[in-house]
Amino acid sequence: RALIEKLGHDHGFEHVLRGNPDCVVLASARHGARVDVSLRLEGTGFLLVAQAATPALLPEMQQSFATAQQADGFVALTEADLASLLRRVAGLARALPSQAAQDFETEVSRQLAELPEGLGGTEVERLVRQRVGQQKFRSAMLDYWGGACAVTGIALPEVLRASHAKPWAECACDAERLDVFNGFLLIANLDALFDRFLIGFEESGALVASSCLSNLDRSRLGLLPGMSLRWLSDSHRGYLDWHRARMQEAEERRALRVNFHGT
């Protein structure tokens, strides 16, 4: 029990709840997920059962740990495997939309309450909401993608950008702006290309590049054949459809400019 509690504390679950004496029940004040961890009946490794605060969490876990999944939970054969499971549950619980939106509203309210008297107003609140929202979105992207680029797997925070598929200014509401599925954690060059609709992703997750990029351009920009998202959830697809439609519009505008200047 002490080992499980220590692993929980180090990987996103700082609280131990009273529960079944046959398992350790872990929780956190930073997110709504709970996990029950017990020794396997076979005597090797651990069994983790996640109690999700949002229905999107379990499908994401099943995608990330397909080989570890059993009917009643996820198997961790070693302490390192259990640490990976705990980190992923905690990261997803912090990143997925309901928790991210709740954290956003809490932080906005806190910052607005701390403003000097008379400094408030619609424009100030808009700026606060935008700044806090972008910070929370980046944090959610880092949690969801495990701190690594969604395409290359590069894990250097200094070069990672939280890229919206549907841009911040064009989202209908804060829930859309903060939706972890409305974006991808990308290295800086891919972020710049994605933001300007010069690359996109197919339904399969395969990277597609604009026809205006020559083979030499693609090579110099680090766009390699076979590049694709490391994984893709069904919840990403609506935003990717929107992004591909805008990418097509951008392609048509570029073609019109080329034809106009050509004539």
Side-chain angles (χ1 to χ4, degrees), residues 94-142:
R94 290 191 299 266
L96 291 171
S98 57
Q99 185 66 44
Q102 180 181 321
D103 291 347
F104 165 72
E105 292 295 346
T106 300
E107 182 62 17
V108 167
S109 297
R110 186 189 69 78
Q111 291 199 19
L112 290 175
E114 291 179 354
L115 289 175
E117 188 175 351
L119 193 59
T122 303
E123 180 60 16
V124 171
E125 180 173 347
R126 185 189 69 79
L127 292 173
V128 169
R129 295 183 75 85
Q130 180 171 336
R131 184 182 69 251
V132 173
Q134 289 171 347
Q135 292 169 349
K136 292 296 182 184
F137 186 72
R138 175 176 170 80
S139 179
M141 286 286 101
L142 287 165

Side-chain angles (χ1 to χ4, degrees), residues 2 7 23 55 67 85 91 202 215 248 257:
L7 286 169
C23 71
T67 59
L85 285 169
E202 296 284 9
N215 288 336
Q248 181 60 38
R257 286 199 297 269

Side-chain angles (χ1 to χ4, degrees), residues 3 10 100 158:
L3 172 62
D10 291 347
E158 295 84 356

Side-chain angles (χ1 to χ4, degrees), residues 3-259:
L3 172 62
I4 293 171
E5 290 176 13
K6 176 68 165 59
L7 286 169
H9 187 276
D10 291 347
H11 300 287
F13 293 88
E14 71 275 17
H15 297 312
V16 180
L17 306 182
R18 292 185 179 181
N20 189 324
D22 296 328
C23 71
V24 180
V25 183
L26 302 172
S28 173
R30 297 185 58 205
H31 55 75
R34 194 192 80 180
V35 294
D36 302 346
V37 183
S38 58
L39 293 177
R40 296 179 70 204
L41 294 177
E42 294 84 348
T44 56
F46 310 89
L47 178 68
L48 180 147
V49 179
Q51 308 295 329
T54 172
L57 191 148
L58 286 178
E60 292 291 334
M61 285 295 294
Q62 290 160 0
Q63 183 169 247
S64 299
F65 296 96
T67 59
Q69 185 183 0
Q70 289 193 351
D72 50 355
F74 297 89
V75 171
L77 295 179
T78 67
E79 295 171 28
D81 292 339
L82 179 57
S84 295
L85 285 169
L86 291 167
R87 279 197 305 272
R88 187 66 178 147
V89 174
L92 286 171
R94 290 191 299 266
L96 291 171
S98 57
Q99 185 66 44
Q102 180 181 321
D103 291 347
F104 165 72
E105 292 295 346
T106 300
E107 182 62 17
V108 167
S109 297
R110 186 189 69 78
Q111 291 199 19
L112 290 175
E114 291 179 354
L115 289 175
E117 188 175 351
L119 193 59
T122 303
E123 180 60 16
V124 171
E125 180 173 347
R126 185 189 69 79
L127 292 173
V128 169
R129 295 183 75 85
Q130 180 171 336
R131 184 182 69 251
V132 173
Q134 289 171 347
Q135 292 169 349
K136 292 296 182 184
F137 186 72
R138 175 176 170 80
S139 179
M141 286 286 101
L142 287 165
D143 280 331
Y144 180 84
W145 291 101
C149 173
V151 175
T152 65
I154 290 173
L156 293 172
E158 295 84 356
V159 301
L160 295 173
R161 306 288 183 269
S163 237
H164 277 88
K166 187 175 184 180
W168 179 276
E170 299 192 45
C171 289
C173 58
D174 287 333
E176 228 180 29
R177 296 182 182 103
L178 292 165
D179 191 345
V180 72
F181 298 111
N182 180 22
F184 301 93
L185 191 66
L186 300 172
I187 54 174
N189 61 322
L190 295 183
D191 165 64
L193 293 166
F194 188 69
D195 183 63
R196 303 305 296 174
F197 303 103
L198 289 164
I199 62 169
F201 299 99
E202 296 284 9
E203 282 281 323
S204 64
L207 186 149
V208 289
S210 168
S211 59
C212 76
L213 296 176
S214 67
N215 288 336
L216 182 58
D217 288 335
R218 297 181 193 201
S219 176
R220 287 174 171 174
L221 287 165
L223 302 181
L224 306 176
M227 273 186 158
S228 67
L229 293 167
R230 293 191 285 127
W231 65 75
L232 183 63
S233 166
D234 285 342
S235 299
H236 285 116
R237 290 192 166 90
Y239 290 111
L240 284 180
D241 290 345
W242 187 96
H243 189 273
R244 282 197 305 275
R246 283 294 299 271
M247 188 174 170
Q248 181 60 38
E249 291 173 10
E251 290 276 87
E252 292 169 359
R253 287 196 298 271
R254 292 185 194 104
L256 285 173
R257 286 199 297 269
V258 170
N259 291 337

